[in-house]
Amino acid sequence: MTDRITTSFSAESTAAEVIEGIDLTGRRIVVTGGASGIGVETARALAGAGAEVTLAVRNVEAGGRVAAELTAATGSKQILVAPLDLADQASVAAFVAGWDGPLDILVNNAGVMASPLGRTPEGWEMQFATNHLGHFALSVGLHDALAAAGGARVVSVSSSAHHRSPVVFDDIHFERRPYDPFSAYGQSKTANVLFAVEASKRWAADGITANALMPGGIRTNLQRYVPDRVLEQMRTAAGGGGLKWKTPEQGAATSVLVATAPLLDGVGGRYFEDCNEAEAGVLTARNGVAPFALDPEAAARLWEVSVETLAG
């Protein structure tokens, strides 16, 4: 393993601080889930640095409102909105078909957390289908656009919740084991890291790198399925000392760093938190990356399973 990447930034750093001095003029970026939570702040920072930013969102009306607000705030006339429902493979295919030209950065930011058991029409468990399979299909579908950009990056937004579960290949979709919302979420977040590991390996010759990250604890619409009392229990239990909630601007910082930092040119298959590469094997509630999330054999297996699943 090469040296761990560290920066001068921290958990308190904001997206604006991380991107200061970086010029993204001429770059084209897609941010999934760009109309809410840290997606908005990620898009704001990237657009403010001169990039063309497409908000890929389920609710186009909400996306339009956010785009107008970001245009007013940044002065950018290059904030676009396109429909994308990650749980609907036809929607993913339509987005891919509608994309034209190179793509410099894909930020796989959207997600659902700890939802009640739900299934897609294909029978896939909803959190895995949305958080992993939807982004997998989107990324693979946009591969040629990423390759055409030269030095493209894929940003995979994971979570410290990946510690809760590896990918359970014997029963990914909870067809035989009891459904647990947090285990399902954790499994999907582990899949986000494994995707970055394998994508960086498979696409290295195309100049594409992929990295995963944990944004931190941020109160956003992502937690709509989690009661406040449970969130408070999670906060006070984290690491013994209590979790300090980040602002959305702080929560977007690691995504923006992974997307734009020159230090990460040519670097892939890693997991970041609080604007630094996480230490491997620190199995705590909030920090570090579980070894199973970086396991190259599991990453290769997940890729094959994903291809087979999508092929039906």
Side-chain angles (χ1 to χ4, degrees), residues 6-291:
T6 58
T7 74
S8 59
F9 302 109
S10 69
E12 284 73 42
S13 300
T14 65
E17 291 167 348
V18 163
I19 206 169
E20 186 176 356
I22 294 176
D23 183 7
L24 298 179
T25 302
R27 302 288 184 88
R28 305 179 74 207
I29 303 175
V30 169
V31 180
T32 69
S36 65
I38 65 171
V40 175
E41 300 309 321
T42 301
R44 185 191 308 276
L46 298 170
E52 175 195 287
V53 179
T54 297
L55 310 178
V57 295
R58 276 190 308 170
N59 186 331
V60 176
E61 189 176 315
R65 289 194 295 269
V66 170
E69 189 267 312
L70 294 182
T71 295
T74 64
S76 172
K77 302 294 193 290
Q78 300 182 95
I79 302 174
L80 313 173
V81 180
L84 176 66
D85 182 349
L86 290 161
D88 178 353
Q89 285 294 317
S91 173
V92 176
F95 183 94
V96 169
W99 185 266
D100 186 44
L103 173 61
D104 296 277
I105 301 168
L106 171 60
V107 184
N108 288 330
N109 166 82
V112 59
M113 174 183 177
S115 56
L117 178 60
R119 297 193 183 278
T120 66
E122 296 90 347
W124 307 332
E125 187 275 314
M126 189 61 74
Q127 294 192 76
F128 192 81
T130 304
N131 298 346
H132 170 63
L133 289 172
H135 279 131
F136 180 85
L138 178 68
S139 303
V140 171
L142 292 171
H143 166 270
D144 290 352
L146 291 162
R153 298 186 186 187
V154 181
V155 179
S156 193
V157 180
S158 181
S159 166
S160 60
H162 80 271
H163 283 295
R164 289 176 175 265
S165 178
V167 173
V168 181
F169 288 104
D170 292 340
D171 190 13
I172 287 175
H173 299 288
F174 291 86
E175 293 162 329
R176 294 176 298 281
R177 56 184 171 137
Y179 180 74
D180 175 70
F182 284 100
S183 293
Y185 180 63
Q187 173 180 248
S188 73
K189 295 288 100 178
T190 292
N192 292 154
V193 188
L194 292 172
F195 165 77
V197 171
E198 185 67 8
S200 288
K201 180 181 176 182
R202 285 178 179 252
W203 296 348
D206 303 310
I208 302 168
T209 56
N211 288 290
L213 67 105
M214 192 274 276
I218 309 106
R219 292 300 301 269
T220 69
N221 191 45
L222 178 68
Q223 293 107 6
R224 61 188 176 276
Y225 295 113
V226 186
D228 284 344
R229 60 177 175 76
V230 176
L231 283 174
E232 183 58 20
Q233 288 169 0
M234 291 167 63
R235 188 190 73 79
T236 55
L243 167 68
K244 182 179 178 182
W245 293 113
K246 290 185 179 184
T247 65
E249 293 84 358
Q250 291 169 331
T254 308
S255 294
V256 171
L257 179 118
V258 169
T260 65
L263 187 64
L264 270 67
D265 283 346
V267 173
R270 305 197 190 193
Y271 175 94
F272 292 78
E273 62 187 7
D274 297 337
C275 297
N276 289 271
E277 185 177 357
E279 293 189 61
V282 184
L283 291 171
T284 63
R286 301 300 313 177
N287 300 108
V289 57

